Amino acid sequence: MFRSNKKSNVWVLIVLITLIWGYAWVLMKESLQFMGPFSFSSLRFGTGSIMMLMLVFVMRVGIPPKTQWRHLIMVGLLQTTIVFSLVMYGLRFVDAGKSSVLLYSMPIWSSLLAAKVLKEPLTKVKLLGLGMGMVGLLTILGWDIWVEQNLKAIFGELLIILAAISWGVSNVYYRLKLQNVPRLQVSAYQMLFGTLGLIIATIMMEWGKPISITSMSMYYILFTGILASALCFTVWFYILSIIDMVTATLSTLLVPIFAMLFGSVFLDEKLTIGIIIGTVLILGGIFVAQMFKGDVEYKGLDET
């Protein structure tokens, strides 16, 4: 009875954090009315970094050894600086829901990179799943190329796909260099170093550009920084201690689904046939590759 209730509680937490992550895409899109994409990312992850470091201090996780700092810097640049610089800039041209689907193609790139770098086998079923995902990406891009013919949207979509690839690279690098370091420690310090990279990018790209600090823009920063980053990461680590990695990874597929629903409700984003078909193929492909991947376990850091 206790184990059943505990499992039920875990799934309540999974739905809660994926709802928050999905809603965060709406706020990320809306934040561009008040400031540039780099400025928002710096403020969001600066807030998140402070909260994560406070959590590390309270839980007495400690400071990582200096021999690991260069690896944490690399993961921070790949996963926080590059990913969210590209995502936020791409959001200027792409709907929030569609952007979330493209970014969550990350497991496709992680699997391909893991096969090349980590020598993980690509089974027939896994290849089928990856193939479905690639067709889904081409479907979304192809729809804009042949039907919408919006070059800015296509440019934004390509930026977000590059962000997904960078996220995949960071996961492989994490497995190579940081797998034995506590995950909470890695997440907190890679976010810190990634935030420093975002601040440098902000100075280079948006120095002197106006930042409108209002109650609404502060809400966007605090919600995405404290709730969507620090709080959800903390809950995520708790979930990972209870359920297996494959199930946890599959559960994150709820994020783009919620993001598309919230984008449709709050931002009046249209769900075209191309987006729907592409989304089904991408998420279905990831589901197939993860659910039937055999003994190969996907490991990486998750961030939204």
Side-chain angles (χ1 to χ4, degrees):
M1 182 70 177
F2 174 76
R3 291 183 63 184
S4 177
N5 290 337
K6 190 174 183 180
K7 190 172 183 180
S8 298
N9 292 337
V10 167
W11 280 104
V12 169
L13 290 175
I14 286 175
V15 172
L16 178 62
I17 65 172
T18 51
L19 273 170
I20 292 174
W21 280 338
Y23 178 57
W25 282 91
V26 172
L27 304 188
M28 288 159 62
K29 178 75 172 181
E30 289 287 86
S31 70
L32 298 176
Q33 300 178 35
F34 298 93
M35 63 195 75
F38 300 99
S39 298
F40 174 77
S41 295
S42 295
L43 291 171
R44 171 194 173 176
F45 286 104
T47 303
S49 295
I50 293 171
M51 296 301 296
M52 289 293 288
L53 291 174
M54 289 174 62
L55 179 65
V56 166
F57 176 76
V58 170
M59 297 186 68
R60 299 181 180 180
V61 176
I63 299 174
K66 290 186 178 181
T67 54
Q68 302 292 349
W69 281 23
R70 66 181 186 278
H71 301 312
L72 290 166
I73 291 171
M74 181 60 68
V75 172
L77 290 175
L78 289 169
Q79 184 164 314
T80 297
T81 304
I82 295 176
V83 169
F84 285 92
S85 292
L86 294 175
V87 164
M88 289 302 301
Y89 198 85
L91 273 171
R92 297 176 63 188
F93 316 110
V94 186
D95 288 345
K98 187 193 294 186
S99 298
S100 68
V101 173
L102 295 175
L103 183 64
Y104 273 80
S105 68
M106 174 273 295
I108 297 172
W109 310 110
S110 288
S111 297
L112 292 173
L113 289 165
K116 179 69 174 178
V117 179
L118 304 177
K119 307 303 179 184
E120 291 186 354
L122 285 175
T123 63
K124 291 182 180 180
V125 175
K126 197 169 185 180
L127 284 172
L128 172 63
L130 295 176
M132 290 172 60
M134 295 301 293
V135 172
L137 288 174
L138 293 174
T139 300
I140 292 176
L141 290 174
W143 185 265
D144 284 334
I145 292 172
W146 301 112
V147 179
E148 300 292 339
Q149 296 182 337
N150 187 332
L151 293 179
K152 288 184 177 180
I154 295 167
F155 173 68
E157 289 164 7
L158 290 174
L159 289 180
I160 295 168
I161 291 174
L162 287 175
I165 294 172
S166 181
W167 189 0
V169 173
S170 75
N171 283 335
V172 173
Y173 190 90
Y174 163 79
R175 290 190 59 184
L176 283 172
K177 303 296 185 180
L178 293 168
Q179 195 166 346
N180 295 323
V181 179
R183 291 175 64 90
L184 183 58
Q185 196 177 64
V186 173
S187 186
Y189 283 92
Q190 72 82 19
M191 188 184 295
L192 172 63
F193 292 128
T195 299
L196 295 176
L198 285 169
I199 292 172
I200 293 172
T202 301
I203 293 172
M204 294 177 61
M205 302 295 294
E206 295 176 358
W207 181 260
K209 292 186 178 181
I211 297 176
S212 178
I213 300 298
T214 66
S215 59
M216 190 59 68
S217 64
M218 285 301 298
Y219 167 67
Y220 296 158
I221 293 167
L222 295 177
F223 186 98
T224 56
I226 296 175
L227 292 183
S229 296
L231 176 63
C232 284
F233 285 155
T234 305
V235 175
W236 182 249
F237 293 129
Y238 169 73
I239 291 171
L240 289 176
S241 69
I242 296 176
I243 65 176
D244 63 277
M245 181 66 69
V246 173
T247 303
T249 302
L250 289 174
S251 71
T252 63
L253 298 185
L254 291 171
V255 176
I257 294 174
F258 287 142
M260 292 181 69
L261 291 175
F262 285 132
S264 178
V265 172
F266 294 109
L267 304 177
D268 294 322
E269 295 179 352
K270 295 180 180 179
L271 300 179
T272 64
I273 296 175
I275 293 174
I276 294 172
I277 294 175
T279 300
V280 170
L281 286 170
I282 291 172
L283 301 186
I286 294 170
F287 178 86
V288 169
Q290 293 291 319
M291 183 60 73
F292 304 103
K293 65 196 302 181
D295 295 328
V296 179
E297 183 181 357
Y298 166 78
K299 294 181 180 179
L301 293 174
D302 292 88
E303 185 170 306
T304 299

